Amino acid sequence: MPAALTDFVPADIDASRWPNVEPLFEELATRQVSSREEFERWLLDRSELEAACSEAGARLYIDMTCNTEDEALEQKYLAFVREVEPKLKPAGFRLDRRQVELEDTFGLDPERYLVLGRDTRSEVELFRDENVPIQTELSELAQKQQKLTGAMTVEFDGREQTLPQMARYQESTDRAVREGAWRAVAERRLRDRDAIDEIYDRMVEKRTRLARNAGFENYVGYAFKAKKRFDYTPAHCAAFHDAVEREVMPFAARLDERRRALLGVDELRPWDVAVDPKGRPPLRPFENGVDLVSKTRRVFDRLDPSPGGLGEMFAGMGDGSNDKGIAAGALLDLDSRRGKAPGGYQYMQDRSRRPFIFMNAAGLHRDVETMVHEAGHAFHSMLCVDEPLLHYRHAPIEFAEVASMSMELLTMPYWDAYYPDAEDLARARRRQLEGSVVLLAWIATIDAFQHWVYSNPGHTREERTAEWLRLGERFGDAGHRVSWEGLEPYRRTVWQRQGHLFGAPFYYIEYGIAQLGALGLWLKSLEEGEQAAVAAYKRAMSLGGSKPLPELFAAAGLEFDFGAGTVGRIVRAVEAELDKLPD
């Protein structure tokens, strides 16, 4: 951790309690500022205070998601959500308004402060006092949805299993086992369908109210401004949807036909898309979190062996044995277990500037993808760790995901650490390349779904279902054309498995933009050499979020574009590379 450039915030402050931080917010709001130099000091002090508050919330969130069954941890997190976050928002807005006034008075270097200035002005223009309690209610609804999904288990194969653990059965070569596991999970999700629908209905209503309070017709415009989407519009998103339909879906159809023929079935079913089509046993890249970390460290050591390089950075995060959340300064909690929230994430502790990786490892290849993906986020945080301003230590999601998705692709040459068998290694690489492109179809589906949902806020559940089914005809089920005959009730609620729809609305097109950027870096590694791609990666990530999106992409040698031309070029390049791999 770099030495603090300010001692404004006590080192031992408990920022999870409002009485401890309130005087510091008040001091910033009323401090006499007489020069540009004093203004820049004010910015540093504000940054450190907000980093302390952010880290307090992060630690509570991490603890809660690592053990959703611990009522004490849940109550601590909810106390922060209910008692501190609602006060942080207006206090932050008060400082935003002061910051804009001070910038108008003293000015700032536009090269250094362009992004900070425009982002802050956007917050000032959006803020409404009446939206603070609505945002608190939305946080509580999101936590309720997480608790519902985190508690989902099924009895299968003679034992109780979490839904992430059930994913391994979709790779079974026994079609009856795959179908049984798929139906067990789908039936379990269906039991909570109405409760989750109710949560989503309430979220749509509340987000629409947020937007209208701020002067928008619906949540679409509000979300774009709130997410600081200065460099693209809903029209660009629609163009991405069209590009995926035109370029990706024919590619996916060719893959599906190959899969159907190899499996020897008349038509693909939902439980046929993850199994190896040649009937080989599932890939088993590691045994547990410790084994996963050990192998992943070897991968990064070989990708970037330079002093202070990616391998050394990853080694500093731990050995993967921790199963107690963030206790005792741990930076990893990897193995799946009952009561652990689903999914995976990297969460930066903003004041100590230490990343934390959470996931639900179950011994699958997708866990390898998650591990290197979240490590990429951690690298991004560590590469810009010396940036004094908190705002610039976080990049826009469209670029933050380039940091993570690039690692899924750039590490492929070293996956023999997981797969010493050459045939398994080729299978894993083929799966990664195919998945990197086919994923774009699911991204387009979720993004288009959200645009429809929030452009039609008065819709009924039946209308929402009809739109979901229409998008399924356009983009398949995550890009695959499968038969849903006899499974119609399950198909109608597939969207509920996407947690972003609940806790992070409109946070999905970013994955598509970033995936194209990551594939662009992968192409650079093929055309210019691996070290050129790694150097471009590190150079761009060291900027954090201090530049506009087009400049961040340019620093990595990439064009900020996600239209048909870029999508088509990527699809053709991936197909050419797949042709070189053995089946």
Side-chain angles (χ1 to χ4, degrees):
M1 170 183 167
L5 298 176
T6 170
D7 59 1
F8 176 64
V9 182
D12 59 351
I13 193 171
D14 177 4
S16 68
R17 298 187 64 250
W18 177 246
N20 295 342
V21 296
E22 181 181 21
L24 300 177
F25 278 98
E26 182 64 25
E27 196 281 338
L28 286 171
T30 58
R31 180 190 298 179
Q32 180 70 31
V33 176
S34 304
S35 67
R36 177 184 290 188
E37 291 72 23
E38 290 182 2
F39 178 28
E40 291 187 295
R41 167 59 61 178
W42 184 95
L43 289 173
L44 287 175
D45 289 347
R46 176 183 182 179
S47 181
E48 194 68 8
L49 174 57
E50 292 183 337
C53 295
S54 171
E55 179 158 332
R59 293 181 66 86
L60 293 170
Y61 178 83
I62 292 167
D63 276 337
M64 182 271 295
T65 55
C66 285
N67 188 357
T68 62
E69 294 181 341
D70 188 317
E71 291 293 329
L73 295 178
E74 178 184 1
Q75 290 308 311
K76 286 180 181 179
Y77 171 71
L78 288 176
F80 185 81
V81 167
R82 293 168 178 163
E83 299 167 17
V84 180
E85 281 190 350
K87 296 181 175 71
L88 286 173
K89 288 180 173 68
F93 172 67
R94 188 181 179 194
L95 297 188
D96 284 342
R97 191 165 51 191
R98 182 94 196 280
Q99 184 172 317
V100 169
E101 292 169 354
L102 290 171
E103 184 176 359
D104 287 342
T105 301
F106 300 109
L108 287 170
D109 176 6
E111 180 67 21
R112 167 66 174 156
Y113 292 104
L114 168 65
V115 172
L116 177 64
R118 73 180 188 179
D119 288 357
T120 305
R121 287 180 187 274
S122 177
E123 293 290 344
V124 169
E125 292 165 2
L126 279 181
F127 185 84
R128 300 293 186 278
D129 283 318
E130 59 268 31
N131 281 346
V132 173
I134 300 175
Q135 289 163 335
T136 300
E137 292 165 4
L138 284 165
S139 293
E140 293 183 8
L141 286 170
Q143 194 277 335
K144 184 177 180 181
Q145 182 268 341
Q146 278 201 330
K147 187 173 183 179
L148 272 177
T149 55
M152 289 182 182
T153 62
V154 298
E155 288 289 336
F156 193 80
D157 199 19
R159 59 195 175 96
E160 184 182 38
Q161 302 193 56
T162 66
L163 300 197
Q165 288 170 331
M166 288 294 291
R168 68 168 55 218
Y169 294 103
Q170 291 308 300
E171 297 183 10
S172 170
T173 56
D174 186 329
R175 199 182 194 202
V177 169
R178 297 199 306 273
E179 179 179 354
W182 188 94
R183 287 181 179 275
V185 170
E187 193 62 41
R188 177 62 187 87
R189 289 189 182 278
L190 205 60
R191 279 169 45 194
D192 284 327
R193 173 191 59 190
D194 290 340
I196 292 175
D197 255 328
E198 173 64 24
I199 289 172
Y200 198 58
D201 288 343
R202 294 173 64 190
M203 284 179 158
V204 172
E205 184 275 324
K206 291 180 186 302
R207 287 173 181 143
T208 300
R209 191 142 45 94
L210 277 178
R212 290 177 176 167
N213 286 346
F216 291 86
E217 179 183 355
N218 58 47
Y219 190 70
V220 178
Y222 178 94
F224 267 67
K225 186 162 186 174
K227 292 185 178 299
K228 318 298 191 300
R229 292 179 177 173
F230 299 106
D231 301 303
Y232 63 100
T233 68
H236 290 98
C237 297
F240 171 73
H241 307 158
D242 292 341
V244 169
E245 184 175 18
R246 189 173 85 185
E247 301 288 351
V248 173
M249 293 313 297
F251 168 79
R254 292 190 287 274
L255 297 181
D256 281 344
E257 176 54 28
R258 172 181 175 274
R259 169 174 290 274
R260 187 202 62 75
L262 287 172
L263 285 172
V265 297
D266 292 335
E267 56 187 2
L268 294 177
R269 300 285 270 168
W271 46 83
D272 292 327
V273 298
V275 65
D276 180 74
K278 297 181 76 172
R280 293 167 293 194
L283 291 169
R284 290 288 179 256
F286 65 94
E287 293 298 322
N288 52 37
V290 172
D291 190 35
L292 175 59
V293 168
S294 174
K295 291 173 176 177
T296 304
R297 179 174 178 180
R298 295 205 299 273
V299 169
F300 286 125
D301 278 338
R302 293 161 67 195
L303 176 64
D304 184 23
S306 60
L310 302 181
E312 193 174 308
M313 292 164 67
F314 183 76
M317 296 196 67
D319 65 2
S321 63
N322 174 59
D323 63 357
K324 296 179 175 60
I326 204 166
L331 301 181
L332 301 170
D333 189 319
L334 306 180
D335 290 306
S336 182
R337 58 182 178 269
R338 176 173 175 167
K340 194 174 183 181
Y345 61 78
Q346 185 268 168
Y347 209 145
M348 189 63 170
Q349 300 169 79
D350 282 322
R351 194 170 193 209
S352 59
R353 306 192 193 187
R354 288 158 57 85
F356 182 90
I357 293 177
F358 168 103
M359 59 183 285
N360 281 273
L364 306 177
H365 175 71
R366 72 171 189 175
D367 297 324
V368 170
E369 296 172 348
T370 300
M371 182 78 265
V372 295
H373 178 103
E374 301 303 342
H377 283 308
F379 294 151
H380 200 178
S381 297
M382 289 187 273
L383 284 166
C384 65
V385 73
D386 291 322
E387 166 58 55
L389 291 178
L390 172 62
H391 197 81
Y392 286 168
R393 295 201 297 273
H394 293 271
I397 297 166
E398 296 86 348
F399 197 68
E401 293 298 332
V402 175
S404 53
M405 290 176 163
S406 294
M407 288 297 102
E408 298 177 36
L409 296 158
L410 294 179
T411 57
M412 283 194 298
Y414 306 110
W415 283 3
D416 55 339
Y418 309 110
Y419 305 111
D421 179 80
E423 185 177 0
D424 285 348
L425 179 60
R427 287 171 61 193
R429 289 172 174 168
R430 174 176 288 278
R431 175 171 168 171
Q432 181 64 42
L433 286 171
E434 291 177 354
S436 293
V437 174
V438 174
L439 173 66
L440 298 173
W442 181 247
I443 292 167
T445 304
I446 295 299
D447 189 60
F449 184 62
Q450 295 193 90
H451 276 272
W452 184 90
V453 164
Y454 290 105
S455 295
N456 300 276
H459 66 264
T460 64
R461 291 184 189 177
E462 291 73 21
E463 290 168 335
R464 186 162 69 215
T465 297
E467 176 62 15
W468 177 252
L469 295 176
R470 186 188 72 79
L471 289 171
E473 293 303 313
R474 186 179 181 190
F475 298 114
D477 175 40
H480 298 287
R481 301 290 189 190
V482 299
S483 169
W484 287 89
E485 184 178 355
L487 305 172
E488 291 81 5
Y490 306 127
R491 188 183 190 186
R492 294 186 182 102
T493 57
V494 168
W495 63 271
Q496 292 187 352
R497 73 190 187 200
Q498 190 61 55
H500 297 78
L501 292 171
F502 301 89
F506 276 97
Y507 172 18
Y508 221 61
I509 185 65
E510 294 92 339
Y511 285 117
I513 298 169
Q515 185 70 286
L516 294 174
L519 285 160
L521 272 173
W522 168 74
L523 278 179
K524 181 184 287 289
S525 75
L526 297 182
E527 296 167 356
E528 302 176 27
E530 184 179 86
Q531 291 312 303
V534 171
Y537 174 92
K538 292 165 74 173
R539 178 174 61 249
M541 300 311 149
S542 69
L543 295 174
S546 62
K547 301 292 181 183
L549 275 173
E551 293 184 38
L552 294 175
F553 274 73
L558 304 170
E559 185 178 356
F560 183 63
D561 178 79
F562 45 103
T566 295
V567 174
R569 174 175 172 264
I570 290 294
V571 169
R572 289 187 290 274
V574 168
E575 281 206 287
E577 199 65 20
L578 287 171
D579 287 342
K580 301 175 186 177
L581 291 174
D583 285 337

